[in-house]
Amino acid sequence: MRIAESNWMQVESYLANDDRAVIPLGSTEQHAYLSLATDSILAERVAVEAAAPLGVAVFPALTYGITPYFLAYPGTLSLRVSTYVAIVRDMLDSLAQSGFKRIVLVNGHGGNAPAGHFAIEWMADHPGVQVKLHDWWRAPRTWAKVHEIDNAASHASWMENFPWTRLAGVTPPAEAVALPERGSGAALVGMAARAYYGAGNFMGLHQRPDADMLALWEVAVAETRAVIDTDW
Ligand SMILES: [Zn+2]
């Protein structure tokens, strides 16, 4: 059940029979040749497809996240860690107030990890409400499928290039990206990040055949569905 296609009376009826909610967490940040909204598009879509046969409520995505390293790429917006955690707190408080008791944050962006740490602290203050943070793209079965298809995969590479994240009229280079080795220095930010990451794909091909992508998607949807449905 998509909240965007429901009214409050329908949510009230839903809560008489189910107490699960899913919130997709995304980011608006450089994804090389792909949409700046890639993380939000993927988190929301995998959540919606996973929840559909279960009838579980899926909220609209939180489409901004924590991405300070990409601020030199135009179109990237980053929330401060303190802002982000405050937003997640308000969302969880509101869900609990509505009567939701089992909440899955389907996360599409590694930088949003503080939401997971915070969720555990929040649970300790809210007995009777459970929260899971599910990093859909690096969950065990999905990550194994990525590596079965092609070991060279990372941020903004082929593994995020689906028919629903690529842009009309944009053709990425055919060559795989191999960035120079880096030691264990400080994280790169600002123009230093842009100088090192170039267009923004961290590793590997920009695109693979759709058959590979649909096979990966099938695994991701099934794995996300299991997280929503079981182990509460
Ligand atoms: Zn991404």
Side-chain angles (χ1 to χ4, degrees):
M1 184 180 83
R2 297 187 71 167
I3 294 297
E5 294 163 4
S6 311
N7 62 33
W8 69 266
M9 299 86 139
Q10 291 169 314
V11 176
E12 191 165 69
S13 303
Y14 168 87
L15 283 163
N17 300 302
D18 205 334
D19 58 12
R20 291 173 292 178
V22 178
I23 302 190
L25 301 179
S27 181
T28 301
E29 64 178 42
Q30 76 81 6
H31 271 79
Y33 298 89
L34 303 172
S35 166
L36 283 151
T38 291
D39 288 346
S40 305
I41 292 167
L42 294 178
E44 181 152 354
R45 188 169 177 129
V46 79
V48 165
E49 290 189 22
L54 307 173
V56 169
V58 181
F59 280 75
L62 176 56
T63 54
Y64 299 99
I66 300 168
T67 179
Y69 23 82
F70 292 149
L71 283 170
Y73 289 89
T76 297
L77 263 75
S78 185
L79 301 179
R80 290 179 187 279
V81 174
S82 54
T83 307
Y84 192 70
V85 167
I87 290 170
V88 171
R89 177 199 293 279
D90 287 353
M91 292 173 84
L92 295 178
D93 284 349
S94 304
L95 288 172
Q97 176 101 13
S98 282
F100 291 100
K101 290 189 164 48
R102 292 176 292 168
I103 300 160
V104 184
L105 305 174
V106 173
N107 181 37
H109 172 56
N112 294 341
H117 308 311
F118 170 73
I120 298 166
E121 181 182 300
W122 186 90
M123 276 173 59
D125 292 336
H126 295 80
V129 187
Q130 294 173 276
V131 186
K132 296 182 191 178
L133 182 110
H134 174 61
D135 290 333
W136 76 264
W137 80 101
R138 62 181 171 196
R141 282 194 280 145
T142 302
W143 195 239
K145 186 69 181 175
V146 167
H147 285 261
E148 178 196 311
I149 295 168
D150 183 347
N151 254 318
S154 189
H155 171 80
S157 73
W158 66 269
M159 68 172 285
E160 298 195 281
N161 186 335
F162 291 88
W164 41 92
T165 52
R166 65 185 70 134
L167 301 174
V170 176
T171 307
E175 305 77 44
V177 171
L179 297 177
E181 289 281 329
R182 251 194 109 230
S184 55
L188 295 172
V189 295
M191 288 309 292
R194 192 164 154 177
Y196 179 72
Y197 295 119
N201 169 356
F202 284 10
M203 177 171 48
L205 293 169
H206 288 282
Q207 189 161 331
R208 293 194 60 89
D210 281 352
D212 289 344
M213 301 319 295
L214 298 178
L216 173 59
W217 192 248
E218 206 174 300
V219 173
V221 168
E223 190 168 31
T224 302
R225 184 173 299 143
V227 169
I228 296 167
D229 201 29
T230 60
D231 294 326
W232 290 103

